Amino acid sequence: WYLKVDSLSIEKHNYLDRISIENMKEKVIVAGGGPFTEHGSFFNISVLITSQGNTIEEFIISGDLPERVKKQRLEQVNEREIGGIYTLVLEGAGWADKGYNFIYRGRMFKIHFMSGSKEQFEKDLPVFEKMLKSFKIIK
């Protein structure tokens, strides 16, 4: 495993900060962001400079998504403690990924991981949970 700090253009991508951890030994991600290998893993924490809306619900509603998708995402919003604060969080989960999006002090935070297979997901989930528990927002 190694830590990679992206040098993305703030103006182009709207990132204030982004840290990615990739299992490169298994060549998790190749040019273009994929594909994943069966045993590959990708963990990501990113912070956007600004967000549309002051809450994750306002962010979802203000997006250019079909109403049914907005409704589905609003149903995935729950209150959680992340990084030492309680906030509304959009929880995303698929067969091989899991993550949380939330807005704090006008900035969108995204913490998530993806795995190359269901088997790898089961190995990565405890690592992600430890990462989530250790994540702190310095006020």
Side-chain angles (χ1 to χ4, degrees), residues 118-131:
K118 290 179 185 179
E119 292 77 16
Q120 187 63 39
F121 176 85
E122 295 302 321
K123 294 176 185 176
D124 292 338
L125 184 57
V127 175
F128 177 72
E129 290 172 349
K130 286 181 184 177
M131 183 178 92

Side-chain angles (χ1 to χ4, degrees), residues 3-122:
L3 185 69
K4 179 180 81 175
V5 179
D6 288 342
S7 59
L8 298 173
S9 162
I10 289 175
E11 294 81 20
K12 184 176 179 184
H13 298 282
N14 200 28
Y15 285 117
L16 178 64
D17 223 339
R18 182 175 180 182
I19 297 173
S20 301
I21 303 169
E22 303 172 3
N23 178 350
M24 295 304 287
K25 181 180 178 188
E26 299 292 339
K27 298 186 177 143
V28 182
I29 297 178
V30 297
F36 285 90
T37 63
E38 184 178 343
H39 304 291
S41 308
F42 173 74
F43 295 79
N44 181 64
I45 298 173
S46 57
V47 183
L48 297 179
I49 294 174
T50 57
S51 172
Q52 296 174 341
N54 293 316
T55 67
I56 196 68
E57 291 170 321
E58 290 176 5
F59 175 79
I60 293 167
I61 291 169
S62 69
D64 293 333
L65 298 170
E67 289 303 315
R68 66 174 179 75
V69 175
K70 288 181 184 180
K71 182 180 176 190
Q72 179 185 21
R73 289 192 179 174
L74 286 171
E75 290 171 356
Q76 295 172 310
V77 172
N78 295 300
E79 187 173 29
R80 276 191 67 108
E81 185 272 327
I82 294 185
I85 62 165
Y86 285 88
T87 187
L88 292 176
V89 175
L90 172 62
E91 296 187 32
W95 67 265
D97 69 328
K98 185 174 179 88
Y100 302 97
N101 291 354
F102 63 96
I103 295 174
Y104 180 70
R105 292 189 175 178
R107 293 194 170 123
M108 170 77 79
F109 288 75
K110 181 174 186 175
I111 304 170
H112 79 285
F113 81 100
M114 294 181 281
S115 305
S117 68
K118 290 179 185 179
E119 292 77 16
Q120 187 63 39
F121 176 85
E122 295 302 321

